Amino acid sequence: MPSTPFPQPLSASLATRDDAWRLTHLGRLLGHAMRRFDARVLELMAHDVHVPLALSHLAARDQVSAAHIHITRHLSLQGDRLTDLAARAGMAKQSMAALVEQCEAWGLVVREPDPHDARSRRVRFTETGLAWLQAFRDAVAQAESEFRAEVGDEVAAVVALGLEAYAGGDWGRG
């Protein structure tokens, strides 16, 4: 009597299937593109003559990460309460607090009493932080220019419009 083969375990059957989609799906491509863009922005900031030397050295030695960019992207010029800043950045309050503490040690931000709520404190940019913010703005403009040069103006416009539509158009709120 011939033996009936046992069904292959699920993991073995998956191993024989085409899994190239895992390397090329939209989410992965967006993630790679964002990491590449942020890395280029940090590289440009590390070489910006207007960035204080200590911060430039931190950026050049990869001590400044995309997480630090969250403060740069999300802290309003008027300053914000930590809970609002964390919510805007999509981070836990505790994670943002640690990030603010590090940025405060670097002289980018300061915490001060909130004039509207005595129980709360506001985080705001220092003069050094404002110089960092300007360097960020310049680096983003340069990285966007390089992106347009690499993919062409038409593709860059379509990508920007597509990403804006996909993100729900909530530019300016976060």
Side-chain angles (χ1 to χ4, degrees):
M1 164 172 195
S3 65
T4 21
F6 290 102
Q8 287 185 342
L10 183 58
S11 60
S13 67
L14 284 177
T16 61
R17 295 182 183 167
D18 174 33
D19 70 345
W21 65 270
R22 293 187 309 141
L23 303 176
T24 59
H25 67 81
L26 187 57
R28 185 173 176 131
L29 295 173
L30 286 169
H32 284 311
M34 183 172 167
R35 283 187 295 280
R36 179 181 175 189
F37 189 87
D38 284 348
R40 181 62 178 142
V41 166
L42 287 171
E43 178 184 357
L44 290 166
M45 290 177 74
H47 297 95
D48 188 310
V49 296
H50 298 105
V51 171
L53 192 58
L55 291 172
S56 179
H57 284 156
L58 287 169
R61 292 191 327 262
D62 293 329
Q63 299 298 306
V64 180
S65 69
H68 296 95
I69 297 299
H70 279 311
I71 286 183
T72 311
R73 280 190 181 123
H74 299 289
L75 181 59
S76 71
L77 293 176
Q78 300 78 27
D80 294 295
R81 291 183 310 147
L82 186 65
T83 53
D84 296 333
L85 179 58
R88 197 173 309 118
M91 296 175 66
K93 181 180 172 185
Q94 294 80 3
S95 298
M96 182 56 78
L99 203 53
V100 165
E101 188 173 307
Q102 191 171 41
C103 289
E104 191 172 30
W106 293 347
L108 293 174
V109 300
V110 64
R111 286 184 262 198
E112 56 191 18
D114 186 331
H116 304 292
D117 183 354
R119 300 167 296 154
S120 187
R121 297 179 57 82
R122 294 183 75 75
V123 178
R124 70 165 178 81
F125 285 113
T126 61
E127 287 301 315
T128 299
L130 291 172
W132 174 265
L133 182 61
Q134 183 59 49
F136 178 71
R137 181 181 188 166
D138 296 344
V140 165
Q142 177 66 34
E144 286 181 0
S145 176
E146 292 170 2
F147 174 75
R148 280 191 303 281
E150 189 168 324
V151 302
D153 286 334
E154 295 81 14
V155 171
V158 169
V159 168
L161 289 170
L163 290 174
E164 184 177 350
Y166 183 71
D170 66 349
W171 298 91
R173 280 191 265 167

